[in-house]
Amino acid sequence: MTAPRRLARPLTRLTRPLTRLARPLTSLALAAAALVVWASPAGATQFDFEREWGATLPHGIAVDRQSNVYVAETENDRLRKFTADGDLLATWGGPGTGPGQFDDPRGIAVGPDGSVYVADYLNGRIQVFTAAGSFVREFGLPVDWGPFDLGLDAQGNAYVVDLVNDVVHKFTPTGDYVGTLGGPGAGDGQFDQPVAIAVDQQANLYVADRGNHRIQRFTSTGAFLGKWGQQGAADGQFDFLYGVAVGPRGNVYVSDSSGLGRVQEFTPSGAFVARVPERFGDHDYLNDPWDLDLDPRGNLYVADASQANRIVKFRPVGASAGKARIRGGSLRYRKGKIKVKVACSAGAECAGKLQVRKRKLKVAKRSYEIGAGKTRKVASRPTKKGRRLLERVEKVKVKVELRPEGGGEKVTRKLELRG
């Protein structure tokens, strides 16, 4: 067994004592409940390394329905938004206590409406932003607390792990306090450094109980459902686990960041399924995986912090995918965007990368994701060279390419693009 590593910014507990609330923290239901045995999803998910990109001490990570990736850089006190391919879309934040500023931002979650929630740890608050980074509101508690991570259910209720007091708080979608579960200890429903939380489609909660080396599972009202894990390096064991996420099939993914550098997959009731490959490529491996999340297609994104300072993306092997095709006879460039109508076959959703080219000139590019049997317009802004081309001519013949995610047959059409 290896000793836990020191974090670049340690898991600090604030020094001021917990003060009384104006109204007491009414506990959520903690009565013991019979363990629910869930049906296991079929088989383990096998992953292949796809790509990586840089981020400075990335802690929190969350992926929205469009597979945009949000990363909390704790050292820089800022948030960064990337495409699924690692292209930077936006940056916001900076050190401070004002709206939109951070002091050690940690966990991130994306709401059902696309809003981005950030656990602003040392400022003792949750901040909410639009997907573009505009500040919306903040909420918290009038006590000394440490919001370290959070998860959201389908209704927008927020569940926040409080590292200072070893509890989980529940808030309404508007930020009103509902109640608290847990407390310090090693018993069922108690915590020792709860550092991460994930919420599944049934609003069950999975809490990474770091100091107790286990995952605990609860209903949305706080009823204890079960637990798994103990300290160790064997399958199903943990050595100071750090992150937890629920995949689109319902399986649970947990990262070990202290020496083991691995991600494990479990069924919702805690049965060990598999490990995500710890080594990939010729020599690389996960160094210090902190947080993790999955997109709707099951791609896994890991915030590999400490010396690595990167986001690592793995794709599921053999994932079924629908066939995309380009619709329409021409394209239009309006209001700064080129729109391509793309249809997806029935049975499975389509995802990949769209490119518009004029010979070797890349006019525009954009990732796409379309539901099974659906058709939508994929809008992309032209590159600088593409914009110059469109400013010179009224119409031009271009080649439109759809490159499916994870390989597969490329779809190509030649169309007329009008300015």
Side-chain angles (χ1 to χ4, degrees):
M1 184 179 68
T2 58
R5 293 185 194 167
R6 290 181 60 84
L7 300 177
R9 295 181 77 167
L11 297 174
T12 55
R13 289 180 178 270
L14 305 183
T15 55
R16 301 193 308 276
L18 181 66
T19 56
R20 289 178 62 99
L21 287 170
R23 58 189 177 91
L25 295 174
T26 56
S27 294
L28 301 175
L30 285 173
L35 178 63
V36 178
V37 180
W38 292 36
S40 295
T45 304
Q46 294 182 339
F47 289 94
D48 275 347
F49 168 77
E50 180 174 309
R51 68 181 71 241
E52 65 176 75
W53 64 88
T56 305
L57 198 63
H59 180 275
I61 189 169
V63 187
D64 66 18
R65 293 178 180 175
Q66 289 72 45
S67 297
N68 296 305
V69 183
Y70 299 86
V71 177
E73 293 187 343
T74 60
E75 192 167 272
N76 293 324
D77 292 315
R78 68 184 183 185
L79 235 68
R80 311 200 86 182
K81 179 181 179 180
F82 300 91
T83 67
D85 296 327
D87 297 325
L88 182 64
L89 295 175
T91 301
W92 68 89
T97 59
Q101 296 178 319
F102 303 110
D103 189 356
D104 208 357
R106 294 286 178 163
I108 313 172
V110 179
D113 63 350
S115 297
V116 181
Y117 292 65
V118 184
D120 190 6
Y121 177 49
L122 292 181
N123 278 329
R125 63 186 177 182
I126 302 297
Q127 295 199 67
V128 185
F129 302 87
T130 67
S134 298
F135 175 80
V136 177
R137 66 180 183 279
E138 65 179 68
F139 61 90
L141 293 172
V143 297
D144 182 11
W145 72 310
F148 205 74
D149 191 25
L150 74 160
L152 301 167
D153 63 24
Q155 285 68 49
N157 295 299
Y159 305 85
V160 184
V161 290
D162 179 352
L163 184 64
V164 170
N165 300 299
D166 292 315
V167 295
V168 176
H169 304 290
K170 180 177 180 179
F171 297 86
T172 67
T174 57
D176 295 325
Y177 169 76
V178 175
T180 297
L181 69 89
D188 294 346
Q190 295 179 321
F191 306 111
D192 180 8
Q193 288 196 341
V195 291
I197 189 168
V199 185
D200 67 18
Q201 293 181 357
Q202 290 74 36
N204 294 304
L205 317 178
Y206 300 81
V207 182
D209 190 5
R210 179 178 169 89
N212 288 322
H213 310 283
R214 65 185 180 182
I215 295 290
Q216 294 197 69
R217 184 159 63 101
F218 304 88
T219 68
S220 60
T221 58
F224 176 75
L225 292 177
K227 61 185 178 183
W228 71 86
Q230 60 183 8
Q231 189 169 20
D235 292 343
Q237 296 180 333
F238 307 113
D239 188 25
F240 294 96
L241 69 166
Y242 211 108
V244 60
V246 178
R249 297 193 307 158
N251 274 7
V252 181
Y253 297 81
V254 183
S255 60
D256 260 336
S257 65
S258 294
L260 297 179
R262 66 180 183 180
V263 174
Q264 299 184 77
E265 179 183 3
F266 300 87
T267 68
S269 56
F272 174 80
V273 175
R275 295 187 188 185
V276 173
E278 294 159 29
R279 300 184 69 87
F280 45 91
D282 295 330
H283 60 275
D284 212 349
Y285 59 93
L286 290 174
N287 181 69
D288 202 6
W290 282 5
D291 202 5
L292 69 168
D293 202 6
L294 295 95
D295 67 22
R297 289 189 56 79
N299 294 298
L300 174 66
Y301 303 80
V302 181
D304 195 15
S306 189
Q307 297 177 3
N309 285 320
R310 63 184 176 178
I311 305 301
V312 183
K313 179 182 179 181
F314 299 90
R315 65 173 180 270
V317 177
S320 61
K323 184 175 178 58
R325 62 187 187 277
I326 302 164
R327 301 287 299 272
S330 63
L331 305 178
R332 296 300 300 269
Y333 174 52
R334 289 181 176 176
K335 297 182 179 179
K337 293 182 179 179
I338 301 170
K339 294 184 179 181
V340 181
K341 185 179 288 188
V342 180
C344 181
S345 61
E349 64 182 19
C350 302
K353 188 179 294 184
L354 178 148
Q355 287 191 359
V356 181
R357 307 181 71 91
K358 173 63 175 175
R359 296 190 179 91
K360 294 184 179 181
L361 173 64
K362 189 180 295 183
V363 179
K365 65 176 182 177
R366 174 69 188 272
S367 296
Y368 65 87
E369 186 171 319
I370 304 168
K374 303 290 186 181
T375 299
R376 75 176 182 88
K377 291 182 178 179
V378 180
S380 59
R381 296 186 182 278
T383 63
K384 289 183 178 179
K385 291 183 178 179
R387 188 166 58 250
R388 293 192 198 106
L389 171 66
L390 296 172
E391 289 171 350
R392 294 198 310 265
V393 299
E394 293 185 3
K395 59 183 179 180
V396 62
K397 288 285 187 179
V398 295
K399 181 187 289 187
V400 182
E401 297 178 347
L402 300 179
R403 298 174 180 266
E405 189 176 82
E409 184 180 355
K410 180 175 67 175
V411 177
T412 302
R413 277 193 65 186
K414 292 183 178 180
L415 298 171
E416 185 176 81
L417 173 59
R418 295 176 176 271

